[in-house]
Amino acid sequence: MGRYVARRLIQFIPVILGTLFLLHLLSVITIQIVGDPVRALFGENAPPQAVIDQLQAQYGLDDPCLETTGNPCIGMFVDRLGQYAQGDFGTNFRGRPVSDLFGERIGVTIRMTTIAIIFEIVVGIMLGVFAGLRKDKFVDNFVRVTTSILIAFPVFVFGSLALLFVGLKFGLYLRQSDWAPDWLGQMFQVGYQADYPWLSLVLPGVVLGAFSLAAVARLTRTSLVENLRSDYVRTARAKGMTTSRTIGIHTLRNSLIPVVTYIGIDIGFLLGGSLVTEGIFNVPGIGQLVFLAIQANDTPVIVGVITIITIVFLVSNLLVDILYAALDPRIRYE
């Protein structure tokens, strides 16, 4: 196990360097093609050239390589790596560090993402197990049809429908009724409430996790159906092992390997997908921060936040790879 972890850590270094270089290259080429973001910030009301020069130097945009289209600006990349290593992900155009802005909002996004992950794991695996155990029966067909519909719906359509029918109509009815407890009405809020930091994020979290739930349910079903045909399952049953032990201990454990891999990858997608969901439900998280930065053309915030999310995504994948080996010992010896 130790050699496997060490090998994965060594492989992780070129992956994260290559990914950060691609992000750097995209941001540099965008500036070279579109133009200086400092000048774009002021538009037609440009300040004196001395002020622009000072701002360009302050945000590291005065490098001559940015004037040559296609130049990868290797020197800038090395400087950025040094800043990232010190926890410096840039400063926005109002002078606030991106790491501070990220730190103020990441708590909300983590809570919403946690709700989404718990929702997709619990409900998705449960639906997948029911469908796999009753292959081609009503439950199986129902799960396959509903998950296909969920996957087909764009997130902004599903989120808007949930906001209108669940948040506004059903949630408002609960909050105005005398019989429903207050916490139940807060679970169907249409916006974030600081007094209810978890309950008011339940509906956005469910919307965010709904698409991943569909994928988890289908992955669990397919893997379970395949494993139920395996020789070791027939052997276990022939030896008189109970159905609950055969499925719950042996079959389900092997069936969850692709699901664990998917969930690890999905953490990055959930963080990225929070941009749309947080916009629909007015949640003050990372997605809303990027959304506002795009509207304000605040390039340092966009680059800094996406870099942090990318690092989180790569680290989560590394942890999943290690967990993958813990679930299936054969992987360590390959």
Side-chain angles (χ1 to χ4, degrees), residues 29 175 214 308 314:
I29 290 178
R175 288 188 292 276
I308 295 173
L314 292 174

Side-chain angles (χ1 to χ4, degrees), residues 137-150:
K137 302 292 178 56
F138 172 77
V139 174
D140 184 26
N141 292 327
F142 176 78
V143 170
R144 283 193 290 175
V145 169
T146 52
T147 52
S148 297
I149 293 173
L150 270 179

Side-chain angles (χ1 to χ4, degrees), residues 112 115-116 187 189-191 199-209 277-278 281 283:
M112 191 175 72
I115 292 171
M187 287 179 63
Q189 275 284 2
V190 295
L199 289 176
S200 60
L201 291 175
V202 169
L203 184 57
V206 168
V207 170
L208 182 63
T277 309
E278 289 180 2
F281 289 93
V283 176

Side-chain angles (χ1 to χ4, degrees), residues 12-85:
F12 179 71
I13 295 173
V15 171
I16 193 168
L17 288 177
T19 307
L20 292 179
F21 179 72
L22 282 177
L23 277 176
H24 161 78
L25 190 61
L26 286 173
S27 65
V28 163
I29 290 178
T30 301
I31 293 173
Q32 291 170 348
I33 295 176
V34 177
D36 185 4
V38 172
R39 292 184 182 278
L41 182 67
F42 294 103
E44 297 179 353
N45 303 317
Q49 185 61 39
V51 175
I52 292 180
D53 292 343
Q54 181 183 358
L55 288 173
Q56 286 176 335
Q58 181 179 346
Y59 293 103
L61 299 172
D62 57 344
D63 197 309
C65 70
L66 294 174
E67 298 174 1
T68 308
T69 304
N71 190 329
C73 298
I74 299 297
M76 281 185 67
F77 176 64
V78 174
D79 292 340
R80 280 184 173 177
L81 284 182
Q83 293 172 354
Y84 294 161

Side-chain angles (χ1 to χ4, degrees), residues 272-286:
S274 65
L275 192 151
V276 178
T277 309
E278 289 180 2
I280 293 173
F281 289 93
N282 196 25
V283 176
I286 297 302

